[in-house]
Amino acid sequence: MSHEYVPEIATDRDGNEHEVQGWQDDFYGGKLGFWLFMLTEVMMFGGMFLSLAYYNTLHPHDFLEASASLNRWLGGTNTVILLVSALTMGLGLLRMRTGDVKGAKLMIWATILLALIFLGIKAVEWNAEYHHGIFLMHDQMLPESSMAFGKKLFFGMYFTMTGLHGFHIMIGIGLMLWLIKRINSEKVTQDHHILYWNIALYWDIVHLIWVFVFPYFYMIGAGDVVAGGGHHGH
Amino acid sequence: MKKILMFLLITLSLKAAQLGVNEHQGAMVPLDLTFINEKGEKVTLKKLMDGKPTMISLNYFRCAGICGPQFEDMAKMLSQLKLAENIDYKALTISFAEDETPALAAAKRKTYLGAIERPFVQDAWHFLISDNNSSAKLSKIVGFTYQKEVSKAGVVDYIHPAALIMLSPEGKVTRYLNGINQLPFDVKMALLEAGEGKIGPTIAKRLLFCFAYDPKGKTYVFKWEKITGIVMTLMMLAFFIYLVVTTKRDDDNNPDHQN
Amino acid sequence: MSKTYFDETHCAFGHPKSTFMQWMLTIDHKRIGLMYAAVMFTFFFVAVATAFVMRLELLAPGQQFIDGDTFNQAFTLHGVIMIFLFIIPGIPAIFGNIVMPIMIGAKDVSFPRLNWFTFWLYIVGALVALSSLVSFNDVDGEMIFNFADTGWTFYAPYSLNTGTNVITTLVAAFILGMASILTGLNFLVTIHRLRAPGMGFFKMPLFVWGIYATGWIQLLATPVVGITLVLAILEKQFGIGIFDPAKGGDPVLFQHLFWIYSHPAVYLMILPAFGIMSEIIPVFSRKEIFGYRTIALSSASIAGIGYLVWGHHLFTSGMADIAKTVFSFLTFFVAIPTGIKFYDWVATMYQGKIVLSTPMIWALGTIITFAIGGLTGITITMVGLDIHLQDTYYSVAHFHYAILGGVVFLMFAGMHYWFPLITGKMYNEKKAKIAFYMNFVGINLLWFPMFIAGYLGMPRRYFDYLPEFEIYHQISFAGAVVMVSGLVYMFWVLFQGWRNGEPSGTNPWNATTLEWHLPSSPPPLENHSKVPYVDFEPYKYENGEPVVKFDYETMKRID
């Protein structure tokens, strides 16, 4: 359908011809649409950052302490992993545009692998927090526990935001698997790869969110700000 | 006239003593409270109420004040009350004084049952005295307050208000009708309410739909707004039905017509 | 007879033969708009009936028909249906879909399959909302009416603690919000990409401007309430602590996050409606619109400034005085572009040849009712007054005059204006006018007394009230009877018009915009025979007659 589309021509009163942009085969429109959709994702996480910043101003010390107790090595590794995965996704797109379909698919698989490792490390982190008594509806996070308000709020938002972010990673993996399927059935090709473009953009936005999540949760407690500094390694 | 003056006097002294009825609507009276009846038998409230909505008056039998007028009014009211006594409701007059006797209760009962102007099932109205402080407990739960007064001669009297307290068959306090004079209609509506529409003839149940208790006027009033609302809604629905019917009629008469 | 969009259609996938499946799978913007209309008006009448039950209950003090808890569920149901299922999809879902692409000379929206998906996403949201009406008893599986009783605003902490079906309703609202976002996205890309050659932004009809500004609000504001609802669900289910004072959370934060969307949402509702007004006034004044550019830019500025005023819903929540002052000032400010529109419309009518057809009397009636709604909004923008009037019947009257007397009345005006376009028929003009008067009298009888009652202290969302307010409720009830009758009658007139009306022709109003230059009525599947070249302004009239004329087969200008 989109491959056989022939655009209409409109003629003005002076006889000049103008090509009509139809809804089919609108590469620019497809990009614009997806950028707008990504704006909504930014607004969603933005709302959460707003709430986080509000509670931070109310409990600055608790936030620093709680942040220091997170594992910066694991978080930092995850940041590098996502960075590399954004690279692999972008490289794959470039290969698709030059016609190297096999290479493009390889890059997508690499991205999926990196995403899975990210989720694995996240699971390790959450597991460690669970064993420290810090998890939703558990032990320290219950209203009766003695943990300070600021820390409860910090961790409440930590699980919410890393959880929703992880959920978006999973969606991303699903989208990439679907993309490979579409490439295999030749619906996505060198000449028609708007889907690949948009999924790569999606992945970039997911990474962008993490670029804000990581420093806000992990890095604010770094250094000698908190007595004893550093972190607990697990 | 004498009654009114007495009532005023009592009310004033009540106010002075900060006594009265503190309405505890919705409070639950335990049905296992026991009282001593006119024969000297110990009976539970449950047995006395016999699963029926019950009106309770709290008095004391040596009362020389408002109890007499209240009992007289109750007798008059019960004569005119358009419900089947002992089937639709029970009436209990309970003494809150600590030292009354079954004999006195029996005597009072005889007097006032006798004042009822029509054949009346005797078992419907009992006069009871406290057993093991049960009257005091009951009074507290329903918010009925009273004060003991010992005169110089050593005579024990009580200052107390007058009210009929309605209990549902489960023992829930549903309505207070304050004062000595009660309209039979108000008592009927209060009992219907207490019985949650499960007692009384069907016409009477419909009345519950149309009447509501007005706390300010202390009587049941006809809810004309409710009726008006229903009538106007029905008129509106009739308009909608009219639209449907004329559409159908139009279609049948004129299959190809233009609007 | 040439084929119309009722005779043939494009589908999302497959080539179904049955008419039913063709409607289920259609990606044609006109059919999708009609399906939205059918579902939305059904929900509208359910919500109207719920409101009527409330008015009936409130006719006298004390309990009449329903108890207090059920009353709370009733006003929540009324709000949730009206806001999430009716007025937010609203004019964009119906007329944005049906009319906007034709107005810009396009054959459909930019993403027709997304449009199809979005409609069914809306249906899923509606079904989830329906499922939140009932719960099943743990003990014996008995079904009970357990709809949320929190009000449509779901304020914490009550929404977090109540045992009614709040989570399901929040999930439904989230899904419906997604549908709103996707509609806005689709329309934004459509307006950017698919305008006919030559049609710059300042040659677009003003209804398109309205849809455009609305699209930005749908896109940027809805995600904020989306995440707020998600956070509320997570709080209720997993205790994340963000709104729970027991963990240091702040319930007022919920209010802020909620209103950061819900205030722009009201501009989302009114901007397309103002677009309809800007279409109707020039046609029925037989004159070019006054101040085209200012009306266009005012839509954009209302959308923009509207993001900054949400705090006026929280004047009584304990905000700092400086914050209250800033929000109050900004709210006064956002009224100015609306005022500009009103002056432009009146200036358009000045020295025009006014034609009092049904769309025009709806528009004129709305000028009155929305003016009342808007001006009373200004009164409660004053912080001192709002302290007294917040959460009274004054607010209720204000927003009903603005939403019902503004958005919904203009939706009805649009229905009467574009009826011949969509159906190819004409309704009975006389009966349609009677329906208007019934609605106009009804709305004023219903809500004007509430201004007074609210001023005298009648609180909103109250099941019972002091006898001194009774007279106002009684007048309101009479108004409710008149208004509901008017609503039903109006729909009946339109329904009859569709079944039995005279064929209308392609341009019964002798209007100028592109949707009236189609080769057939109802429109063909792909709208114009050929996409025209647009080198003219949208509302050119000379001596009461349109200047621009087309040959409908070639879409070349012949004037």
Side-chain angles (χ1 to χ4, degrees), chain A residues 21 32 66 118 122 137-138 151 172 188 195 199 211:
Chain A
Q21 176 63 56
L32 176 62
F118 178 96
K122 199 96 222 89
M137 305 203 296
H138 181 68
K151 286 193 181 167
V188 174
L195 187 69
I199 293 179
V211 160

Side-chain angles (χ1 to χ4, degrees), chain A residues 114-127:
Chain A
L114 288 166
L116 286 167
I117 298 176
F118 178 96
L119 289 176
I121 296 179
K122 199 96 222 89
V124 166
E125 274 188 280
W126 278 22
N127 196 37

Side-chain angles (χ1 to χ4, degrees), chain C residues 84-97:
Chain C
F84 292 115
L85 286 167
F86 179 65
I87 205 74
I88 290 206
I91 295 173
I94 304 178
F95 295 111
N97 261 311

Side-chain angles (χ1 to χ4, degrees), chain B residues 239-252, chain C residues 492:
Chain B
F239 173 61
F240 300 160
I241 295 174
Y242 164 76
L243 287 178
V244 173
V245 165
T246 46
T247 307
K248 280 210 165 46
R249 206 185 300 146
D250 224 24
D251 285 349
D252 292 337
Chain C
W492 180 84

Side-chain angles (χ1 to χ4, degrees), chain A residues 99-116:
Chain A
D100 178 10
V101 174
K102 219 159 146 245
K105 282 202 291 186
L106 198 65
M107 283 290 121
I108 300 175
W109 281 115
T111 313
I112 293 175
L113 182 66
L114 288 166
L116 286 167

Side-chain angles (χ1 to χ4, degrees), chain A residues 25 33 35 54 56 59 61-62 64 87 92 108 127 131 134 142 154-156 162-164 174 189 192 194 206 209 222:
Chain A
D25 231 10
W35 268 106
Y54 169 64
N56 195 357
H59 305 280
H61 192 74
D62 287 341
L64 291 180
L87 175 68
I108 300 175
N127 196 37
H131 281 112
I134 297 175
L142 294 170
F154 177 91
F155 283 113
T162 57
L164 282 173
T189 64
H192 290 97
I194 182 72
V206 167
I209 305 286

Side-chain angles (χ1 to χ4, degrees), chain C residues 177-253:
Chain C
M178 282 286 345
S180 183
I181 291 175
L182 293 174
T183 304
L185 188 154
N186 217 336
F187 289 170
L188 284 176
V189 180
T190 305
I191 294 172
H192 271 286
R193 299 292 297 155
L194 301 187
R195 276 167 291 125
M199 186 189 271
F201 260 76
F202 290 99
K203 289 208 176 67
M204 296 193 313
L206 288 167
F207 178 65
V208 184
W209 268 103
I211 295 288
Y212 182 71
T214 305
W216 280 109
I217 304 179
Q218 284 172 295
L219 193 79
L220 294 179
T222 319
V224 181
V225 81
I227 197 59
T228 309
L229 299 179
V230 167
L231 288 173
I233 295 171
L234 292 177
E235 174 69 82
K236 200 168 158 81
Q237 192 66 27
F238 297 116
I240 57 176
I242 180 176
F243 302 130
D244 182 2
K247 293 186 182 149
D250 186 359
V252 180
L253 178 65

